């Protein structure tokens, strides 16, 4: 583990080296003690399992997952570029933004064809590498057949990018992810 490169509500992301293959990775580690460990751990491991099954050029691949003591983690491709949030904040040409969002839309179409919603599409979860956009952070994704918010109907996702169905805490259809893409396009324009 080399250095901290990001932090979310339930995890930290480190730049690390996968020793067995001698390659740089982003190592996502579940924060301890913040949430009910059972539910958070289940979601965290579900993210690794679901994303590991997705093979798409615009989805950040998961290489490995595991547990060391009480520490749950997974290793994924390290994307050296900024997030789309960084680019939007500095200003991004519309044509370039549309190209990146076409990559994201392709990734979402693929995930949807596998029965998976992302549920938290936002610029911070879109990483840029060269001239390509990669979708990451499927932490809130669930298989469509189980797609209700939670047993407690807690709000999941980022309110700014949430579809009307998500805001009403209703079952989130595939179009919920596309609603978020539309909000991002509006921000870019």
């Amino acid at each position: 583990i080399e250095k901290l490169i990001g932090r979310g509500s339930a995890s930290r992301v480190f730049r690390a080296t996968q020793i067995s293959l001698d390659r740089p990775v982003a190592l996502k580690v579940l924060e301890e003690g913040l949430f009910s460990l059972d539910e958070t751990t289940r979601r965290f491991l579900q993210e690794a399992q679901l994303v590991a099954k997705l093979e798409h050029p615009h989805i950040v691949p998961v290489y490995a997952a595991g547990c060391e003591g009480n520490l749950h983690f997974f290793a994924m491709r390290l994307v050296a570029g900024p997030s789309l949030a960084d680019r939007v904040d500095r200003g991004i040409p519309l044509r370039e933004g549309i190209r990146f969002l076409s990559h994201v839309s392709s990734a979402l179409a693929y995930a949807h064809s596998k029965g998976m919603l992302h549920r938290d599409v936002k610029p911070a979860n879109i990483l840029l590498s060269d001239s390509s956009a990669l979708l990451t952070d499927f932490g809130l994704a669930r298989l469509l057949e189980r797609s209700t918010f939670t047993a407690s109907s807690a709000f999941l996702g980022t309110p700014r990018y949430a579809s009307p169905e998500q805001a009403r805490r209703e079952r989130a259809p595939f179009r919920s992810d596309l609603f978020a893409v539309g909000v991002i396009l509006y921000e870019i324009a």
Side-chain angles (χ1 to χ4, degrees), residues 39-73:
E39 178 63 16
T40 304
T41 300
R42 186 188 64 74
R43 279 201 181 138
F44 185 80
L45 294 176
Q46 180 184 32
E47 175 183 359
Q49 292 167 347
L50 291 174
V51 177
K53 294 176 184 176
L54 299 177
E55 293 184 23
H56 190 275
H58 298 293
I59 295 176
V60 176
V62 169
Y63 297 145
C67 180
E68 186 70 39
N70 289 332
L71 206 59
H72 293 81
F73 63 89

Side-chain angles (χ1 to χ4, degrees), residues 1-5 12-19 25-29 71 73:
I1 296 175
E2 298 164 19
K3 70 177 185 174
L4 180 69
I5 58 174
R12 293 172 289 158
V13 180
F14 297 90
R15 179 185 171 89
T17 299
Q18 184 178 11
I19 295 170
V25 296
L27 187 68
K28 189 170 189 175
V29 179
L71 206 59
F73 63 89

Side-chain angles (χ1 to χ4, degrees), residues 135-169:
L135 188 59
T136 191
D137 205 1
F138 279 76
L140 299 177
R142 299 173 83 179
L143 292 175
L144 185 59
E145 67 259 13
R146 294 189 214 147
S147 184
T148 57
F149 266 78
T150 63
S152 64
S153 294
F155 185 83
L156 296 176
T158 303
R160 182 177 184 152
Y161 303 97
S163 68
E165 296 86 3
Q166 288 173 291
R168 291 189 302 261
R169 292 175 171 77

